[in-house]
Amino acid sequence: MPLSNSDQRNRNFRFRLGVATVLMLLAILAVVLRIMDLEILHYSKFRTLAYDNHVALVPVAPPRGLVLAEHGEVLAENQPTYALEITPDQVPHLQETLQRLQQMLDLSADDMRRFQDLRQGKPDFDPVVLKANLTSTQIATVAVRALDLPGVRVVALLHRYYPYDALFSHVVGYVGPVTAADLKNFHARNYVGRNYIGKSGLERYYERQIRGTMGYRIKDIDARGLQVGTLREVPAQPGDNLLTHLRLRVQQAGAEALQKDKGYRGAIVALDPDNGAVLAMVTSPSFNANWFVDGISKTHWQSLLDNPERPLMNRADNGLYPPGSCAKPFYSIEAIQEGIITPDFHTFCAGNYQLGGHTYWDWNRAGFGNTGLTKALAWSVDVFYYKLAVKMGIAMQDKTLWRFGFGKAPPIDLPGGANGLVPTPAWKRKHLHAHWYTGDSVILGIGQGYLLETPLQLARAVAALANGGYLVQPQVAKALINQSTGQTKAIPHAQPVNLHISVTAMHAVHKGMEACVTIGTCHTISIPGITIAGKTGTAQVPVGYKNGRTIYNNDSLFIGWAPVHHPKIAVAVVVEYGGHNAWQALPVARAVIKAYLQPDEKTPEKVAEKPAAHYDAPLAIGEKGSVNPRPAYPMTP
């Protein structure tokens, strides 16, 4: 029976009502599910987002620990200053803002380049310094336009400063802006909001101890991003102060002595022979560490790179030099220890030594006649050590050098450090594709040939002679001082290595090195009231070419300690191209020893203007065969 129009309308109505009801129920279900998602499943996430909508978490960098000399002089400090910071993710149009700030504040291209470099590897929520050390005019210029510069603010911060400029640059080091490369070795979380990180020297080695612990401040902000209050603050913990063994007066005396008259290149290392404490570490020339704090300018950087004196090089522990006659005391120790010679051994020393058709000249071509160990050390008799080298042989020579710490970088609380080179027959075959000859040993016997050492290695080795045969571990830092509590935590010294040197061998070499100062080649280092033992060294290095021949110059070296029987300081000095018979190294070493043992007297003394009379005999070029640690440049005829 067909439906009536009324029934059809009712049926259609019920159908539409059912569909509407289902849709409404589905909509209600969707709303309920969404509410559950927001209020239950993702409650913490959206609560944080809502909270962050009116608060800002601001990291607070701690004050960096100071670096102090042993008597409390500040070598690295923090000075209050103002800087312009930009938080990139808070700046709507970053490039436009940067251009505007550059015009407003007259910023240089170096400022803009540094800002872009500092952004690399940092999250956009981390503020980046655009300009440090703002002037009062620049601060006022930014302040009056603060509302138009979102994400840009002037902040007060502590700026790293080195009061002695270049004097301690290589040993204390310097800080610089944090880069992505730095964060490969340090956790990025610890450097959010920080401006600096240690780049070299003690600043780098003790970075974790002196950087401090980050704090933070939770600020209440309004819709325009301006602070209206502080909700919570966790203060930053300042880094520990680093107390060192360095003596300011000794460092100054050494640096001034090197810079007298000609301004020599070279290095000085002074150690306490008992424990290896570094009393001074001088490299000349040096550089101003303050240039690097905010990122070095292109002009300054290029001036350092173009400087032929290479001021960036730490010559004290990276400069490689033939030790020359400074190696002779160590061969003497080993020769007596192994029974090759006795302390009273004598041999006739003419002005040269003949071997296989070659002539090896003594520095004094007139010769020294009958010579024993004391005379050989006092007057640095080359022929004595040519003969001794042949008696010892290369195996024992190498054993001697390794025993006293040559050929490997000394363990010290500074980054880097060169190994030097102790040549062996295997090394020569591998690198020069040649056999080792007796003549190579002869040259090695006077500290030349392929042998290369650092001033730090020489200072460590002579300290072992001074203290009776113990190889100490050099250490610059003395203690960490907590800035909050004032508590001092000493940094312990490593136990020295006992070289087991016999009293007989040690006494014989001490006698010769003391005679070197009283009557021999070191006599100009003498200081009234102080007994000194020492050894001069002269090392030939090629410096260029002329008329098809190699032109040589001489590095001046000195190693020694004082007082002789109760040693308090061991010193190694290298003066590049300082002249024959170490006449330029001696007054430098004298100034350092005097500054340490007689601090109340005026130092340093003037460097000698000419060598002593008995230094006049020229050093023979012939068969010295030295290897140059520095490049040789052609010389015009």
Side-chain angles (χ1 to χ4, degrees), residues 11 22 35 48 91 119 211 314 395 430 497 531-532 577:
R11 187 172 182 178
V22 170
I35 291 173
T48 301
V91 182
R119 283 196 65 198
R211 71 186 178 191
N314 185 353
K430 179 180 179 180
V497 178
T531 57
I532 303 174
Y577 309 154

Side-chain angles (χ1 to χ4, degrees), residues 273-454:
D274 285 338
N275 57 17
V278 178
L279 307 175
M281 183 177 281
V282 180
T283 288
S284 176
S286 187
F287 61 91
N288 191 336
N290 292 300
W291 287 358
F292 287 84
V293 174
D294 296 311
I296 189 168
S297 70
K298 186 176 180 180
T299 302
H300 279 149
W301 179 245
Q302 199 61 46
S303 71
L304 293 175
L305 292 181
D306 293 341
N307 190 334
E309 306 290 298
R310 296 181 298 166
L312 289 173
M313 178 184 177
N314 185 353
R315 287 170 161 81
D317 68 351
N318 274 282
L320 296 177
Y321 305 92
S325 295
C326 289
K328 292 175 180 178
F330 308 109
Y331 291 132
S332 303
I333 288 279
E334 194 72 16
I336 297 173
Q337 189 90 348
E338 296 294 330
I340 302 300
I341 61 172
T342 61
D344 59 357
F345 170 80
H346 282 68
T347 185
F348 184 82
C349 294
N352 62 76
Y353 177 67
Q354 302 289 328
L355 178 68
H358 291 271
T359 300
Y360 299 88
W361 292 97
D362 199 298
W363 70 268
N364 176 16
R365 295 198 176 194
F368 287 93
N370 192 38
T371 303
L373 182 61
T374 300
K375 183 178 179 181
L377 286 171
W379 292 99
S380 198
V381 181
D382 288 334
V383 170
F384 184 94
Y385 286 95
Y386 291 149
K387 294 182 176 182
L388 184 60
V390 175
K391 286 176 174 290
M392 293 179 70
I394 182 58
M396 190 176 295
Q397 286 178 305
D398 284 342
K399 178 184 175 183
T400 301
L401 296 168
W402 285 107
R403 175 202 281 263
F404 282 95
F406 299 116
K408 53 187 174 183
I412 186 173
D413 49 350
L414 291 173
N419 290 324
L421 173 62
V422 173
T424 65
W427 173 87
K428 190 177 180 185
R429 283 194 302 270
K430 179 180 179 180
H431 294 277
L432 302 180
H433 309 291
H435 294 290
W436 187 272
Y437 299 101
T438 304
D440 293 322
S441 294
V442 170
I443 297 302
L444 190 63
I446 61 166
Q448 295 255 193
Y450 309 109
L451 179 61
L452 296 173
E453 315 299 348
T454 68

Side-chain angles (χ1 to χ4, degrees), residues 76-148:
E77 63 181 345
N78 305 308
Q79 291 187 339
T81 187
Y82 289 94
L84 187 67
E85 276 188 351
I86 295 180
T87 306
D89 69 351
Q90 295 179 9
V91 182
H93 305 288
L94 182 59
Q95 291 305 317
E96 293 179 11
T97 301
L98 289 172
Q99 292 174 3
R100 185 179 176 189
L101 289 170
Q102 185 175 16
Q103 295 175 354
M104 287 170 47
L105 305 178
D106 192 25
L107 303 181
S108 68
D110 278 337
D111 293 326
M112 309 309 290
R113 176 184 55 81
R114 279 197 296 267
F115 176 80
Q116 297 299 341
D117 291 342
L118 293 176
R119 283 196 65 198
Q120 299 299 318
K122 297 186 72 172
D124 282 346
F125 60 79
D126 196 2
V128 180
V129 172
L130 174 61
K131 176 68 175 177
N133 298 318
L134 294 177
T135 65
S136 56
T137 302
Q138 290 173 322
I139 294 172
T141 301
V142 174
V144 297
R145 295 173 175 81
L147 294 179
D148 299 327

Side-chain angles (χ1 to χ4, degrees), residues 207 383 466 478 625:
E207 168 66 20
V383 170
K478 183 176 183 179

Side-chain angles (χ1 to χ4, degrees), residues 23 51 111 141 167 215 224 245 253 284 356 450 455 461 481 495 536:
L23 292 175
Y51 184 72
D111 293 326
T141 301
L167 184 61
R224 295 177 296 173
H245 291 288
S284 176
Y450 309 109
I481 304 172
Q495 286 296 317
T536 53

